[in-house]
Amino acid sequence: MKLYRFLTGPDDASFCHKVTAAMNKGWHLFGSPTYAYDAEAKIMKCGQAVVKDVDGQEYEAGVTKLSDW
């Protein structure tokens, strides 16, 4: 199965650790990161899409928990 996640977080080390943890679990960066100002929270936020291929498994919407992979 092919999996897709979009990771988001504040522009700080916690976001970098989130992306690093995903890559260390076999996820790969997909496309360019995003960066936007959250006017309500008055902070910059980051986003990064990641993808992963998992052999021998089938994707089931509502059942497959992406963060488990």
Side-chain angles (χ1 to χ4, degrees):
M1 78 178 145
K2 293 185 179 287
L3 301 174
Y4 170 91
R5 292 176 67 193
F6 188 71
L7 306 174
T8 61
D11 180 24
D12 63 15
S14 69
F15 177 75
C16 295
H17 286 287
K18 185 185 290 189
V19 174
T20 299
M23 290 190 306
N24 278 284
K25 288 185 174 182
W27 293 84
H28 300 278
L29 300 179
F30 183 80
S32 299
T34 60
Y35 195 58
Y37 183 68
D38 180 340
E40 187 174 310
K42 297 182 176 157
I43 61 170
M44 293 301 291
K45 291 200 173 174
C46 302
Q48 175 65 59
V50 293
V51 294
K52 184 176 188 177
D53 289 323
V54 179
D55 294 330
Q57 301 289 324
E58 287 199 31
Y59 172 77
E60 295 180 56
V63 176
T64 302
K65 188 173 177 188
L66 299 176
S67 61
D68 286 346
W69 297 97

